[in-house]
Amino acid sequence: MNQKTPPPSQADSASVAQQRVADLRAEIAAHDRAYYELDAPSVSDEVYDALFRELQALEAAYPELQTPDSPTCRVGGRPLAAFTPVAHRVPMLSIQTETDTSANGAWNFDARVRKELGLDAADAPVEYVAELKFDGLAVSLRYEQGVLMQGATRGDGSTGEDVTQNLRTVRDIPLVLTGLAPAVLEVRGEVYMTRDDLARYNAQAAARGEKTLVNPRNAAAGSIRQLDPSVAASRPLRFFAYGVGEVEGWPGAAPTTHAALLDALSELGLPVCEHRAVLVGARALADFHARIAALRPSLPFDIDGVVYKVNRLDLQAALGFRAREPRWAVAHKYAAQEAHTRVEAIDVQVGRTGALTPVARLQPVFVGGVTVTNATLHNEDEVRRKDVRVGDLVSVRRAGDVIPEIVAVLLEARPMRPAAAAPGAAEPLYPPFTLPDRCPECGSHVVREEGEAVARCSGGLVCPAQRKAALLHFAGRRAMDIEGLGERLVEQLVAQGWVRTAADLYALDVPQLMRLERMGEKSATNLVAAITASKTRSLARFIFALGIRHVGESTAKTLADWLGSLAWLRRAPRPILAVLPDVGQVVGQAIVDFFAEPHNASVIDALLAAGVRPSDEHPPRAELAERLTWARLYAALGIPRLSETRAEELAALFADGAELADATALAARLAPLPQPVSAALVDWLADSKHREALRQLASTRAAILAALPAAALPRLPLAGLTFVLTGTLPHLKRDAARALIEAAGGKVSGSVSRQTDYVVAGSEAGTKLDKARELGVPVLDEAALLAMLDHNKEKTA
DNA sequence: AGCCCTCGAGTTCC
DNA sequence: CTCGAGGGCT
């Protein structure tokens, strides 16, 4: 590389640099060896860091000196990029937190479970397993033929990171299971550190002048997410198993309860915490909660609560899941610890929807294991209610041990004006908090809708804060999942004027990105690749990414699932949207408004033009046909005085909206309706906009119906029917009957109402049967139910 | 008409 | 995590 002859001075400095780089690498390598292999650091962290940074700087200045074996490549930059993603065959769900930290929490959970299972007071109490909720890092261990093959973090629940090497260094984790192991066994559990071990480790680390670990949870998480396994090996980590993911081939009979499952895991040599119990009914759960609370200080490790799980696995299956968490388990936490600190300022942030949120800037205070400096105050009313002012001494806790929250103001410590300045009554130094009437980011007017708690910046996408938030949302992990597009980058892209809308992202190229701060060729290439990869995300993610008001992750899934394509979503008028589950007038209107906005339409067109193509578009769902009845559509149109019942009557008169829009002798044909209703309808139809909307609705409806899959494939026999179970059936247990009905597409609810299609009654049926007779709901016995399942099956087969 | 449940939106700290 | 609001059921 010295063939060319550059000016002498440059040649000199380059060769000096080359020598220094070589020296630095040798020195760092020696320190690494001392630290990792001999476990005896030869220099302090500060000295080591200084050497490391010098090497990084030189390599940055002289890229030709960069080699792949440099220590800066091993640990520098973003180490997480080097973990391989692992798809969880069975998702690693989180667990719902019971917010009531009093004993009521146990009763609340029990009540929800009983209600879901359709049990009433007369039914036997439910059996649970209670365990501890460890404060650590959730991981999944995959054993094949009893041998540990892979360990992964939870990640987003469906995809985690491969941290096998690190988990192998945890002494509690068996590399080989004892006894007869299933062919495949994914063990779910928690990596944690005991308080003593943490203290001991920190004492040694401090003595060596190294960084200490803040709390056991971060210690566990930080250690496992290190690229270099020797780091994890040097930390005293432990493990408890508490559940399973994918399982194949239990030797002998598979466990049928969670308690038996835990025992089985223990038998296989996995550590299972001894503080667990099988308990019957809510009172026993509450007692466990109290008993563990007393035990908590003497436990060797940190817990933030206890966990209750329905013991029987078949009941767990019957209860099923909510969006991201099982319905059969709950974490019952303990009240958080509080600390006192001063409010230094109250700032106002602007969110994606323009919502203004006051945030208290606090004098740093250590509470619940971390140092807290900010706490959200949610909205103006909230600040007023608590009357938080600048300078106040406040009591702070971490709600649910995570989000900092101001509990109360200590009024006696409020700073007051000196008595001389305010003779007579003492006066607070600072006035009550008020939100500004101009957006702090863009100066637009701040508006607060009647009856709404949040105030919003009216600037829309003119407001840079909203634009940035919209872009971050678009790129977010749950949306288009563009890795590497974080806050700092969005900030720069917007400031440069390169990116105004999400569509602009797809026009970015590597040379352009390299002009940004801290952006080398490699990062730029990665980012462009991540952006390109996002073009084929699922439709649900794409819809969510658009950031339509009231359309979050779950509603986006519903829309994608039912309508199947962006084209239908854009085209669907409000009444059609309102027919979908979870979508009513407000959400439907928000969607229509979004697509009607020319700016949004052009952004979407630009996205499509840039090649963004949801990978899973499909025809609308077959069941849509059942929901797109004119009765429902008429009811959803918002015609005055037209109740659901009247809408059905109207549908009987006009089986198609277009016909209604173009009807002659309208008043006469509406005669069967009560006069005020028909008058309101005639009035409504007098508006040509409304007639046009009806025609539009009719044609879109027809187009959607025509697009439905030709053979309505697996039409479930009981789809759309609601059942209520009562009494004891001769053969089927209650939950078995429930499972059968649900498997066939039916729904089981707890009480009889007009919405109920059938009541299934056994012996000793109670008031539900009376109610059914009263409402004229058909009553089935077990045989009739089974016949119905069979009969409908044949009909559709 | 009113309650209950779920979802959406904003936020913290590492 | 918490709060508010929308949707669905009583």
Side-chain angles (χ1 to χ4, degrees), chain A residues 349 353 357 373-374 550 552 554-555:
Chain A
Q349 296 182 351
T353 61
T357 311
T373 53
N374 300 307
H550 299 124
S554 179
T555 309

PDB file of all heavy atoms in Angstrom, chain A residues 349 353 357 373-374 550 552 554-555, chain B residues 5-14:
ATOM      1  N   GLN A 349     -44.355  17.660  25.943  1.00  0.00           N
ATOM      2  CA  GLN A 349     -43.946  16.902  24.757  1.00  0.00           C
ATOM      3  C   GLN A 349     -45.115  16.784  23.785  1.00  0.00           C
ATOM      4  O   GLN A 349     -46.272  16.826  24.191  1.00  0.00           O
ATOM      5  CB  GLN A 349     -43.522  15.493  25.161  1.00  0.00           C
ATOM      6  CG  GLN A 349     -42.294  15.497  26.049  1.00  0.00           C
ATOM      7  CD  GLN A 349     -41.839  14.105  26.404  1.00  0.00           C
ATOM      8  OE1 GLN A 349     -42.533  13.130  26.135  1.00  0.00           O
ATOM      9  NE2 GLN A 349     -40.672  14.012  27.004  1.00  0.00           N
ATOM     10  N   THR A 353     -50.050  11.932  17.586  1.00  0.00           N
ATOM     11  CA  THR A 353     -51.364  12.452  17.240  1.00  0.00           C
ATOM     12  C   THR A 353     -51.471  13.932  17.621  1.00  0.00           C
ATOM     13  O   THR A 353     -52.547  14.491  17.578  1.00  0.00           O
ATOM     14  CB  THR A 353     -52.458  11.684  17.986  1.00  0.00           C
ATOM     15  OG1 THR A 353     -52.243  11.849  19.384  1.00  0.00           O
ATOM     16  CG2 THR A 353     -52.438  10.217  17.644  1.00  0.00           C
ATOM     17  N   THR A 357     -48.265  16.339  26.144  1.00  0.00           N
ATOM     18  CA  THR A 357     -48.120  15.633  27.407  1.00  0.00           C
ATOM     19  C   THR A 357     -47.144  16.357  28.309  1.00  0.00           C
ATOM     20  O   THR A 357     -45.978  16.535  27.936  1.00  0.00           O
ATOM     21  CB  THR A 357     -47.598  14.206  27.163  1.00  0.00           C
ATOM     22  OG1 THR A 357     -48.380  13.602  26.150  1.00  0.00           O
ATOM     23  CG2 THR A 357     -47.662  13.393  28.425  1.00  0.00           C
ATOM     24  N   THR A 373     -35.467  10.282  36.405  1.00  0.00           N
ATOM     25  CA  THR A 373     -35.317  11.718  36.188  1.00  0.00           C
ATOM     26  C   THR A 373     -36.555  12.342  35.558  1.00  0.00           C
ATOM     27  O   THR A 373     -36.710  13.549  35.565  1.00  0.00           O
ATOM     28  CB  THR A 373     -34.112  12.021  35.270  1.00  0.00           C
ATOM     29  OG1 THR A 373     -34.252  11.253  34.079  1.00  0.00           O
ATOM     30  CG2 THR A 373     -32.810  11.671  35.947  1.00  0.00           C
ATOM     31  N   ASN A 374     -37.410  11.515  34.942  1.00  0.00           N
ATOM     32  CA  ASN A 374     -38.619  12.034  34.305  1.00  0.00           C
ATOM     33  C   ASN A 374     -39.826  11.278  34.823  1.00  0.00           C
ATOM     34  O   ASN A 374     -39.733  10.108  35.165  1.00  0.00           O
ATOM     35  CB  ASN A 374     -38.568  11.824  32.789  1.00  0.00           C
ATOM     36  CG  ASN A 374     -37.388  12.515  32.166  1.00  0.00           C
ATOM     37  OD1 ASN A 374     -37.191  13.703  32.376  1.00  0.00           O
ATOM     38  ND2 ASN A 374     -36.594  11.775  31.429  1.00  0.00           N
ATOM     39  N   HIS A 550     -57.209   5.783  16.234  1.00  0.00           N
ATOM     40  CA  HIS A 550     -58.023   4.704  16.796  1.00  0.00           C
ATOM     41  C   HIS A 550     -57.735   3.345  16.198  1.00  0.00           C
ATOM     42  O   HIS A 550     -58.393   2.372  16.547  1.00  0.00           O
ATOM     43  CB  HIS A 550     -59.531   4.984  16.641  1.00  0.00           C
ATOM     44  CG  HIS A 550     -59.976   6.222  17.353  1.00  0.00           C
ATOM     45  ND1 HIS A 550     -60.621   7.236  16.731  1.00  0.00           N
ATOM     46  CD2 HIS A 550     -59.815   6.598  18.625  1.00  0.00           C
ATOM     47  CE1 HIS A 550     -60.870   8.207  17.597  1.00  0.00           C
ATOM     48  NE2 HIS A 550     -60.373   7.830  18.759  1.00  0.00           N
ATOM     49  N   GLY A 552     -55.093   0.728  16.219  1.00  0.00           N
ATOM     50  CA  GLY A 552     -53.853   0.224  16.788  1.00  0.00           C
ATOM     51  C   GLY A 552     -53.544  -1.129  16.189  1.00  0.00           C
ATOM     52  O   GLY A 552     -54.088  -1.517  15.155  1.00  0.00           O
ATOM     53  N   SER A 554     -54.222  -4.151  17.149  1.00  0.00           N
ATOM     54  CA  SER A 554     -55.266  -5.157  17.144  1.00  0.00           C
ATOM     55  C   SER A 554     -56.321  -4.855  16.071  1.00  0.00           C
ATOM     56  O   SER A 554     -56.726  -5.744  15.310  1.00  0.00           O
ATOM     57  CB  SER A 554     -55.887  -5.201  18.528  1.00  0.00           C
ATOM     58  OG  SER A 554     -56.906  -6.117  18.568  1.00  0.00           O
ATOM     59  N   THR A 555     -56.753  -3.611  16.017  1.00  0.00           N
ATOM     60  CA  THR A 555     -57.752  -3.239  15.020  1.00  0.00           C
ATOM     61  C   THR A 555     -57.173  -3.386  13.608  1.00  0.00           C
ATOM     62  O   THR A 555     -57.879  -3.801  12.685  1.00  0.00           O
ATOM     63  CB  THR A 555     -58.231  -1.799  15.267  1.00  0.00           C
ATOM     64  OG1 THR A 555     -58.608  -1.687  16.640  1.00  0.00           O
ATOM     65  CG2 THR A 555     -59.417  -1.460  14.392  1.00  0.00           C
TER      66      THR A 555
ATOM     67  P    DC B   5     -65.379  -6.964  33.354  1.00  0.00           P
ATOM     68  OP1  DC B   5     -65.572  -8.252  34.003  1.00  0.00           O
ATOM     69  OP2  DC B   5     -64.633  -5.882  34.029  1.00  0.00           O
ATOM     70  O5'  DC B   5     -64.709  -7.191  31.922  1.00  0.00           O
ATOM     71  C5'  DC B   5     -65.523  -7.511  30.796  1.00  0.00           C
ATOM     72  C4'  DC B   5     -64.812  -7.050  29.543  1.00  0.00           C
ATOM     73  O4'  DC B   5     -65.046  -5.643  29.324  1.00  0.00           O
ATOM     74  C3'  DC B   5     -63.279  -7.228  29.620  1.00  0.00           C
ATOM     75  O3'  DC B   5     -62.916  -8.068  28.549  1.00  0.00           O
ATOM     76  C2'  DC B   5     -62.726  -5.804  29.545  1.00  0.00           C
ATOM     77  C1'  DC B   5     -63.856  -5.037  28.848  1.00  0.00           C
ATOM     78  N1   DC B   5     -63.940  -3.589  29.160  1.00  0.00           N
ATOM     79  C2   DC B   5     -64.052  -2.672  28.101  1.00  0.00           C
ATOM     80  O2   DC B   5     -64.047  -3.088  26.942  1.00  0.00           O
ATOM     81  N3   DC B   5     -64.161  -1.355  28.389  1.00  0.00           N
ATOM     82  C4   DC B   5     -64.165  -0.927  29.653  1.00  0.00           C
ATOM     83  N4   DC B   5     -64.275   0.380  29.884  1.00  0.00           N
ATOM     84  C5   DC B   5     -64.051  -1.850  30.744  1.00  0.00           C
ATOM     85  C6   DC B   5     -63.942  -3.151  30.454  1.00  0.00           C
ATOM     86  P    DT B   6     -61.456  -8.534  28.337  1.00  0.00           P
ATOM     87  OP1  DT B   6     -61.546  -9.952  27.994  1.00  0.00           O
ATOM     88  OP2  DT B   6     -60.641  -8.055  29.464  1.00  0.00           O
ATOM     89  O5'  DT B   6     -60.993  -7.740  27.039  1.00  0.00           O
ATOM     90  C5'  DT B   6     -61.990  -7.228  26.196  1.00  0.00           C
ATOM     91  C4'  DT B   6     -61.397  -6.318  25.147  1.00  0.00           C
ATOM     92  O4'  DT B   6     -61.622  -4.949  25.539  1.00  0.00           O
ATOM     93  C3'  DT B   6     -59.892  -6.444  24.901  1.00  0.00           C
ATOM     94  O3'  DT B   6     -59.713  -6.449  23.507  1.00  0.00           O
ATOM     95  C2'  DT B   6     -59.304  -5.219  25.588  1.00  0.00           C
ATOM     96  C1'  DT B   6     -60.429  -4.203  25.499  1.00  0.00           C
ATOM     97  N1   DT B   6     -60.500  -3.215  26.606  1.00  0.00           N
ATOM     98  C2   DT B   6     -60.818  -1.917  26.304  1.00  0.00           C
ATOM     99  O2   DT B   6     -61.027  -1.522  25.184  1.00  0.00           O
ATOM    100  N3   DT B   6     -60.876  -1.078  27.389  1.00  0.00           N
ATOM    101  C4   DT B   6     -60.660  -1.416  28.714  1.00  0.00           C
ATOM    102  O4   DT B   6     -60.738  -0.581  29.609  1.00  0.00           O
ATOM    103  C5   DT B   6     -60.336  -2.800  28.959  1.00  0.00           C
ATOM    104  C7   DT B   6     -60.069  -3.259  30.361  1.00  0.00           C
ATOM    105  C6   DT B   6     -60.272  -3.620  27.899  1.00  0.00           C
ATOM    106  P    DC B   7     -58.350  -6.516  22.805  1.00  0.00           P
ATOM    107  OP1  DC B   7     -58.554  -7.332  21.614  1.00  0.00           O
ATOM    108  OP2  DC B   7     -57.321  -6.836  23.800  1.00  0.00           O
ATOM    109  O5'  DC B   7     -58.139  -5.008  22.339  1.00  0.00           O
ATOM    110  C5'  DC B   7     -59.117  -4.421  21.498  1.00  0.00           C
ATOM    111  C4'  DC B   7     -58.828  -2.952  21.349  1.00  0.00           C
ATOM    112  O4'  DC B   7     -58.966  -2.308  22.626  1.00  0.00           O
ATOM    113  C3'  DC B   7     -57.410  -2.664  20.856  1.00  0.00           C
ATOM    114  O3'  DC B   7     -57.527  -1.762  19.783  1.00  0.00           O
ATOM    115  C2'  DC B   7     -56.716  -2.060  22.073  1.00  0.00           C
ATOM    116  C1'  DC B   7     -57.885  -1.422  22.816  1.00  0.00           C
ATOM    117  N1   DC B   7     -57.712  -1.277  24.285  1.00  0.00           N
ATOM    118  C2   DC B   7     -57.980  -0.043  24.894  1.00  0.00           C
ATOM    119  O2   DC B   7     -58.339   0.917  24.202  1.00  0.00           O
ATOM    120  N3   DC B   7     -57.844   0.072  26.231  1.00  0.00           N
ATOM    121  C4   DC B   7     -57.453  -0.980  26.954  1.00  0.00           C
ATOM    122  N4   DC B   7     -57.347  -0.813  28.274  1.00  0.00           N
ATOM    123  C5   DC B   7     -57.181  -2.245  26.359  1.00  0.00           C
ATOM    124  C6   DC B   7     -57.313  -2.349  25.026  1.00  0.00           C
ATOM    125  P    DG B   8     -56.273  -1.370  18.969  1.00  0.00           P
ATOM    126  OP1  DG B   8     -56.700  -1.294  17.565  1.00  0.00           O
ATOM    127  OP2  DG B   8     -55.142  -2.206  19.365  1.00  0.00           O
ATOM    128  O5'  DG B   8     -56.018   0.103  19.500  1.00  0.00           O
ATOM    129  C5'  DG B   8     -57.038   1.071  19.371  1.00  0.00           C
ATOM    130  C4'  DG B   8     -56.542   2.418  19.836  1.00  0.00           C
ATOM    131  O4'  DG B   8     -56.429   2.399  21.282  1.00  0.00           O
ATOM    132  C3'  DG B   8     -55.168   2.830  19.321  1.00  0.00           C
ATOM    133  O3'  DG B   8     -55.288   4.221  19.029  1.00  0.00           O
ATOM    134  C2'  DG B   8     -54.226   2.555  20.489  1.00  0.00           C
ATOM    135  C1'  DG B   8     -55.140   2.777  21.684  1.00  0.00           C
ATOM    136  N9   DG B   8     -54.892   1.972  22.881  1.00  0.00           N
ATOM    137  C8   DG B   8     -54.608   0.634  22.941  1.00  0.00           C
ATOM    138  N7   DG B   8     -54.491   0.189  24.165  1.00  0.00           N
ATOM    139  C5   DG B   8     -54.715   1.305  24.958  1.00  0.00           C
ATOM    140  C6   DG B   8     -54.721   1.451  26.369  1.00  0.00           C
ATOM    141  O6   DG B   8     -54.521   0.592  27.217  1.00  0.00           O
ATOM    142  N1   DG B   8     -54.986   2.760  26.750  1.00  0.00           N
ATOM    143  C2   DG B   8     -55.231   3.788  25.896  1.00  0.00           C
ATOM    144  N2   DG B   8     -55.467   4.975  26.439  1.00  0.00           N
ATOM    145  N3   DG B   8     -55.228   3.673  24.568  1.00  0.00           N
ATOM    146  C4   DG B   8     -54.965   2.410  24.176  1.00  0.00           C
ATOM    147  P    DA B   9     -54.094   4.954  18.352  1.00  0.00           P
ATOM    148  OP1  DA B   9     -54.682   6.019  17.543  1.00  0.00           O
ATOM    149  OP2  DA B   9     -53.151   3.992  17.764  1.00  0.00           O
ATOM    150  O5'  DA B   9     -53.397   5.642  19.605  1.00  0.00           O
ATOM    151  C5'  DA B   9     -54.102   6.672  20.282  1.00  0.00           C
ATOM    152  C4'  DA B   9     -53.194   7.299  21.307  1.00  0.00           C
ATOM    153  O4'  DA B   9     -53.131   6.424  22.452  1.00  0.00           O
ATOM    154  C3'  DA B   9     -51.753   7.498  20.827  1.00  0.00           C
ATOM    155  O3'  DA B   9     -51.338   8.771  21.251  1.00  0.00           O
ATOM    156  C2'  DA B   9     -50.982   6.378  21.510  1.00  0.00           C
ATOM    157  C1'  DA B   9     -51.780   6.207  22.789  1.00  0.00           C
ATOM    158  N9   DA B   9     -51.697   4.872  23.375  1.00  0.00           N
ATOM    159  C8   DA B   9     -51.486   3.679  22.740  1.00  0.00           C
ATOM    160  N7   DA B   9     -51.456   2.643  23.535  1.00  0.00           N
ATOM    161  C5   DA B   9     -51.664   3.189  24.796  1.00  0.00           C
ATOM    162  C6   DA B   9     -51.746   2.626  26.075  1.00  0.00           C
ATOM    163  N6   DA B   9     -51.614   1.317  26.297  1.00  0.00           N
ATOM    164  N1   DA B   9     -51.966   3.454  27.109  1.00  0.00           N
ATOM    165  C2   DA B   9     -52.103   4.769  26.884  1.00  0.00           C
ATOM    166  N3   DA B   9     -52.050   5.416  25.713  1.00  0.00           N
ATOM    167  C4   DA B   9     -51.824   4.565  24.703  1.00  0.00           C
ATOM    168  P    DG B  10     -49.977   9.334  20.779  1.00  0.00           P
ATOM    169  OP1  DG B  10     -50.275  10.584  20.123  1.00  0.00           O
ATOM    170  OP2  DG B  10     -49.203   8.269  20.101  1.00  0.00           O
ATOM    171  O5'  DG B  10     -49.275   9.624  22.165  1.00  0.00           O
ATOM    172  C5'  DG B  10     -50.026  10.236  23.228  1.00  0.00           C
ATOM    173  C4'  DG B  10     -49.258  10.053  24.499  1.00  0.00           C
ATOM    174  O4'  DG B  10     -49.530   8.723  25.006  1.00  0.00           O
ATOM    175  C3'  DG B  10     -47.739  10.123  24.276  1.00  0.00           C
ATOM    176  O3'  DG B  10     -47.104  10.983  25.205  1.00  0.00           O
ATOM    177  C2'  DG B  10     -47.267   8.703  24.445  1.00  0.00           C
ATOM    178  C1'  DG B  10     -48.312   8.130  25.398  1.00  0.00           C
ATOM    179  N9   DG B  10     -48.378   6.696  25.239  1.00  0.00           N
ATOM    180  C8   DG B  10     -48.276   5.989  24.063  1.00  0.00           C
ATOM    181  N7   DG B  10     -48.300   4.711  24.228  1.00  0.00           N
ATOM    182  C5   DG B  10     -48.421   4.546  25.607  1.00  0.00           C
ATOM    183  C6   DG B  10     -48.491   3.373  26.393  1.00  0.00           C
ATOM    184  O6   DG B  10     -48.444   2.205  26.004  1.00  0.00           O
ATOM    185  N1   DG B  10     -48.607   3.661  27.743  1.00  0.00           N
ATOM    186  C2   DG B  10     -48.661   4.921  28.278  1.00  0.00           C
ATOM    187  N2   DG B  10     -48.768   5.003  29.594  1.00  0.00           N
ATOM    188  N3   DG B  10     -48.600   6.029  27.553  1.00  0.00           N
ATOM    189  C4   DG B  10     -48.475   5.774  26.236  1.00  0.00           C
ATOM    190  P    DT B  11     -45.572  11.211  25.043  1.00  0.00           P
ATOM    191  OP1  DT B  11     -45.386  12.649  25.215  1.00  0.00           O
ATOM    192  OP2  DT B  11     -45.059  10.541  23.823  1.00  0.00           O
ATOM    193  O5'  DT B  11     -44.999  10.435  26.296  1.00  0.00           O
ATOM    194  C5'  DT B  11     -45.797  10.344  27.470  1.00  0.00           C
ATOM    195  C4'  DT B  11     -45.034   9.587  28.536  1.00  0.00           C
ATOM    196  O4'  DT B  11     -45.476   8.207  28.523  1.00  0.00           O
ATOM    197  C3'  DT B  11     -43.525   9.554  28.314  1.00  0.00           C
ATOM    198  O3'  DT B  11     -42.846   9.789  29.532  1.00  0.00           O
ATOM    199  C2'  DT B  11     -43.240   8.174  27.799  1.00  0.00           C
ATOM    200  C1'  DT B  11     -44.347   7.350  28.456  1.00  0.00           C
ATOM    201  N1   DT B  11     -44.689   6.178  27.655  1.00  0.00           N
ATOM    202  C2   DT B  11     -45.125   5.035  28.298  1.00  0.00           C
ATOM    203  O2   DT B  11     -45.264   4.962  29.503  1.00  0.00           O
ATOM    204  N3   DT B  11     -45.371   3.979  27.478  1.00  0.00           N
ATOM    205  C4   DT B  11     -45.225   3.946  26.089  1.00  0.00           C
ATOM    206  O4   DT B  11     -45.470   2.941  25.452  1.00  0.00           O
ATOM    207  C5   DT B  11     -44.791   5.175  25.475  1.00  0.00           C
ATOM    208  C7   DT B  11     -44.611   5.271  23.992  1.00  0.00           C
ATOM    209  C6   DT B  11     -44.545   6.215  26.287  1.00  0.00           C
ATOM    210  P    DT B  12     -41.319  10.069  29.410  1.00  0.00           P
ATOM    211  OP1  DT B  12     -41.097  11.307  30.130  1.00  0.00           O
ATOM    212  OP2  DT B  12     -40.837   9.925  28.020  1.00  0.00           O
ATOM    213  O5'  DT B  12     -40.719   8.865  30.242  1.00  0.00           O
ATOM    214  C5'  DT B  12     -41.429   8.325  31.351  1.00  0.00           C
ATOM    215  C4'  DT B  12     -40.475   7.416  32.112  1.00  0.00           C
ATOM    216  O4'  DT B  12     -40.749   6.048  31.723  1.00  0.00           O
ATOM    217  C3'  DT B  12     -39.012   7.683  31.767  1.00  0.00           C
ATOM    218  O3'  DT B  12     -38.243   7.727  32.946  1.00  0.00           O
ATOM    219  C2'  DT B  12     -38.617   6.542  30.848  1.00  0.00           C
ATOM    220  C1'  DT B  12     -39.576   5.428  31.262  1.00  0.00           C
ATOM    221  N1   DT B  12     -39.942   4.553  30.136  1.00  0.00           N
ATOM    222  C2   DT B  12     -39.917   3.194  30.329  1.00  0.00           C
ATOM    223  O2   DT B  12     -39.595   2.678  31.395  1.00  0.00           O
ATOM    224  N3   DT B  12     -40.263   2.456  29.238  1.00  0.00           N
ATOM    225  C4   DT B  12     -40.630   2.936  27.991  1.00  0.00           C
ATOM    226  O4   DT B  12     -40.915   2.172  27.088  1.00  0.00           O
ATOM    227  C5   DT B  12     -40.651   4.366  27.858  1.00  0.00           C
ATOM    228  C7   DT B  12     -41.034   4.989  26.553  1.00  0.00           C
ATOM    229  C6   DT B  12     -40.311   5.103  28.926  1.00  0.00           C
ATOM    230  P    DC B  13     -36.719   8.233  32.827  1.00  0.00           P
ATOM    231  OP1  DC B  13     -36.439   8.977  34.045  1.00  0.00           O
ATOM    232  OP2  DC B  13     -36.514   8.852  31.516  1.00  0.00           O
ATOM    233  O5'  DC B  13     -35.899   6.871  32.887  1.00  0.00           O
ATOM    234  C5'  DC B  13     -36.329   5.854  33.796  1.00  0.00           C
ATOM    235  C4'  DC B  13     -35.501   4.607  33.568  1.00  0.00           C
ATOM    236  O4'  DC B  13     -36.154   3.797  32.568  1.00  0.00           O
ATOM    237  C3'  DC B  13     -34.097   4.903  33.046  1.00  0.00           C
ATOM    238  O3'  DC B  13     -33.139   4.159  33.778  1.00  0.00           O
ATOM    239  C2'  DC B  13     -34.146   4.502  31.589  1.00  0.00           C
ATOM    240  C1'  DC B  13     -35.224   3.423  31.581  1.00  0.00           C
ATOM    241  N1   DC B  13     -35.939   3.338  30.282  1.00  0.00           N
ATOM    242  C2   DC B  13     -36.382   2.078  29.844  1.00  0.00           C
ATOM    243  O2   DC B  13     -36.192   1.093  30.565  1.00  0.00           O
ATOM    244  N3   DC B  13     -37.003   1.995  28.647  1.00  0.00           N
ATOM    245  C4   DC B  13     -37.204   3.074  27.907  1.00  0.00           C
ATOM    246  N4   DC B  13     -37.812   2.922  26.757  1.00  0.00           N
ATOM    247  C5   DC B  13     -36.759   4.366  28.343  1.00  0.00           C
ATOM    248  C6   DC B  13     -36.146   4.453  29.532  1.00  0.00           C
ATOM    249  P    DC B  14     -31.613   4.396  33.546  1.00  0.00           P
ATOM    250  OP1  DC B  14     -30.949   4.274  34.847  1.00  0.00           O
ATOM    251  OP2  DC B  14     -31.459   5.626  32.745  1.00  0.00           O
ATOM    252  O5'  DC B  14     -31.194   3.171  32.644  1.00  0.00           O
ATOM    253  C5'  DC B  14     -31.000   1.898  33.257  1.00  0.00           C
ATOM    254  C4'  DC B  14     -30.847   0.844  32.200  1.00  0.00           C
ATOM    255  O4'  DC B  14     -32.017   0.808  31.380  1.00  0.00           O
ATOM    256  C3'  DC B  14     -29.709   1.090  31.219  1.00  0.00           C
ATOM    257  O3'  DC B  14     -28.495   0.539  31.743  1.00  0.00           O
ATOM    258  C2'  DC B  14     -30.153   0.322  29.997  1.00  0.00           C
ATOM    259  C1'  DC B  14     -31.673   0.339  30.099  1.00  0.00           C
ATOM    260  N1   DC B  14     -32.325   1.212  29.070  1.00  0.00           N
ATOM    261  C2   DC B  14     -33.067   0.622  28.044  1.00  0.00           C
ATOM    262  O2   DC B  14     -33.146  -0.611  28.022  1.00  0.00           O
ATOM    263  N3   DC B  14     -33.648   1.400  27.110  1.00  0.00           N
ATOM    264  C4   DC B  14     -33.534   2.723  27.179  1.00  0.00           C
ATOM    265  N4   DC B  14     -34.132   3.441  26.238  1.00  0.00           N
ATOM    266  C5   DC B  14     -32.789   3.339  28.215  1.00  0.00           C
ATOM    267  C6   DC B  14     -32.203   2.561  29.141  1.00  0.00           C
TER     268       DC B  14
END
